[in-house]
Amino acid sequence: MLMTLIQKEIMHHVLSVRFVALLLMCVLLIPLTLSINHRKYSQNLIDYQESVKRARTEAKENPPDAQNPNTEVSKLFLKPTPLSVFASGLEEALPTYLGMTRNGVRQGSTGLAQASVAYVLGNLDFLFIVGTVFSLLALLFTFDAVAGEREAGTLRVNLSNPLPRDVFLWSKLIGGYIVFVVPFLVSFLLGLLILVGQKFPLGEFEVIAPVLGLLLISLLYIAVFFAIGVFISTYLDNSKTALIVAFTFWVFAVLVAPRGAFVIAKLGAPTQTQQAVYMKKTALHNNLTQDKQSKIDKKVSETLGTNLNLNAETQKRLDEIRKPIEEKFRLELQNQSAKIDKEYQREKDRQEQVGEMLSRITPTSSLMYAAINLTQTGKLKRNAYFQTGEKYYSQLEDSYFSEISDDVLAQILRIAARMDTSSESKTEEILPPPSLTEPTFSETLRRSTLDVFLLVFAALAFTTMAFLRFFRSDI
């Protein structure tokens, strides 16, 4: 009986205008957006490779001198993620590189710095299509599943026969879901074939595993909105009213709540700006430098007097005087800078956690968080990028920046040593930037567990409420 009703429901949807709209959306949107975003990724990868090559060439031809505390002596560039083809996530908002200066890590311009006005309209990628377009189509498929039959009088006729109510409702859910999912899967497969034709590395485990995970989460998300649509349909007797309620719910769940949650978080947990933090660290460096220089000058004057001969012996004695003082102030600068960074990071984390917690009241946010984790374009990628930059800066601080003095005499001697081509001293070498460690698939799954659980809970909760309401309703 259930299979017969499912077949009937499938034929009802296939012959409707809604199925035609779904088919067009699937065939046109998914393969097209995947192809376009792959070309965008390919161009970003070329830009990244050219930037790295140009930075290395410039470092060889004109080695940077970090005497100026704002000079970028090295850059850690952000390599684009192949899975950004499916979800751009935070990648465009991240700085294209992290510049290493004596004053700290300076962020380069983001990908949005030169974005056109089209960015205001939003990104068109697979995540947007599933989260926004297919959630609305799922509600359009189900808003009249029960209300439409009740309004037409066919519900009373069907249930007057020996037809269990649970079988009737399951046929509505399963039949509509099959009709919806089949075109979606076919178009997704077509999009993957197009990507393979464009030499996308789909055969690698690091790529195919997240793609399959993204597909499963998308199917689960669609199931949630099918359950929501049926739930709304069981509570209302009029299909027009059900459509209005379903559309209102979609606007709130998909468009308003995810964004409104972070607006509330910004008001409730404000943070400093990145520029304000950088200026604060710059001021700290300048103040400590002045204090350090005055102590060095006083110590040199007391020890060596005012008449100095610039020779190897003098340089050795200056180093003996200068290094203990500079080491003390270097450690002080590190400690104070770390406190500023920790305070700023604590403020940002608190604001982000509040926003995420509030936004998870809707399944759309759970889909987005899980998707950007799987595609490595979310917080995992961002945190790994900045942590690698901080680690690289610490290495440069120990091996390069700590050897640079702001003492005037030391500067003169250092410049003379750089200009002395006959000197046997080693040329100053700067550690190359490390490779950015990508999060493992198991790590992305672990971070996505909560959002997957919320999607499963939402699907079960709305399905259960729909059945309970339908069992208790007076037909």
Side-chain angles (χ1 to χ4, degrees), residues 4 50 97 113 134 199 312 336 472 475:
T4 302
E50 290 295 327
Y97 71 87
F134 286 112
K199 299 182 179 180
Q336 294 296 331
R472 298 176 59 184
I475 306 302

Side-chain angles (χ1 to χ4, degrees), residues 367-431:
L367 168 72
M368 291 184 175
Y369 297 147
I372 62 177
N373 279 333
L374 287 173
T375 57
Q376 299 178 3
T377 58
K379 290 176 61 177
L380 288 176
K381 177 67 174 288
R382 182 196 64 188
N383 294 343
Y385 182 41
F386 287 117
Q387 288 171 5
T388 303
E390 291 296 334
K391 182 179 179 181
Y392 181 40
Y393 175 77
S394 298
Q395 294 174 345
L396 289 179
E397 175 68 24
D398 294 334
S399 64
Y400 182 70
F401 292 138
S402 60
E403 301 297 326
I404 299 172
S405 173
D406 291 306
D407 179 62
V408 177
L409 290 176
Q411 292 179 24
I412 296 174
L413 293 172
R414 189 165 184 268
I415 293 173
R418 287 169 61 93
M419 297 177 62
D420 186 5
T421 56
S422 63
S423 176
E424 297 180 357
S425 60
K426 295 183 180 179
T427 305
E428 294 175 337
E429 294 184 358
I430 300 176
L431 289 175

Side-chain angles (χ1 to χ4, degrees), residues 142 173 222-232 458-463 466:
T142 54
L173 276 168
I222 293 172
V224 170
F225 274 85
F226 258 82
I228 292 171
V230 173
F231 167 72
I232 293 173
L460 294 176
F462 282 107
T463 301

Side-chain angles (χ1 to χ4, degrees), residues 40-159:
K40 181 180 178 181
Y41 158 73
S42 300
Q43 184 59 50
N44 290 339
L45 183 60
I46 292 174
D47 293 341
Y48 161 78
Q49 293 171 344
E50 290 295 327
S51 298
V52 172
K53 182 178 179 181
R54 184 169 58 251
R56 291 175 179 174
T57 302
E58 292 176 354
K60 290 181 179 179
E61 294 179 351
N62 186 22
D65 184 7
Q67 195 63 59
N68 182 348
N70 293 316
T71 298
E72 296 176 350
V73 300
S74 184
K75 295 178 180 179
L76 174 65
F77 288 93
L78 177 65
K79 185 178 182 179
T81 305
L83 292 169
S84 61
V85 170
F86 296 89
S88 58
L90 297 174
E91 192 161 273
E92 290 187 355
L94 293 176
T96 53
Y97 71 87
L98 299 178
M100 305 296 135
T101 73
R102 289 176 62 198
N103 277 344
V105 181
R106 176 185 292 172
Q107 297 184 10
S109 62
T110 67
L112 303 178
Q114 298 178 349
S116 66
V117 70
Y119 179 77
V120 179
L121 303 178
N123 283 321
L124 183 62
D125 54 19
F126 178 77
L127 180 57
F128 171 82
I129 293 172
V130 174
T132 304
V133 178
F134 286 112
S135 60
L136 179 59
L137 289 175
L139 291 178
L140 293 178
F141 260 67
T142 54
F143 77 92
D144 61 348
V146 177
E149 296 219 18
R150 181 186 283 117
E151 187 179 19
T154 56
L155 181 61
R156 183 184 298 273
V157 175
N158 288 329
L159 295 182

Side-chain angles (χ1 to χ4, degrees), residues 2-49:
L2 178 60
M3 292 303 300
T4 302
L5 291 175
I6 290 175
Q7 292 174 5
K8 178 185 175 182
E9 190 68 22
I10 290 175
M11 291 303 300
H12 169 71
H13 283 296
V14 169
L15 297 175
S16 66
V17 178
R18 285 177 287 193
F19 180 75
V20 176
L22 170 66
L23 197 59
L24 290 175
M25 289 289 185
C26 290
V27 173
L28 293 178
L29 285 181
I30 294 180
L32 183 62
T33 54
L34 291 180
S35 177
I36 293 174
N37 287 331
H38 180 265
R39 293 182 181 180
K40 181 180 178 181
Y41 158 73
S42 300
Q43 184 59 50
N44 290 339
L45 183 60
I46 292 174
D47 293 341
Y48 161 78
Q49 293 171 344

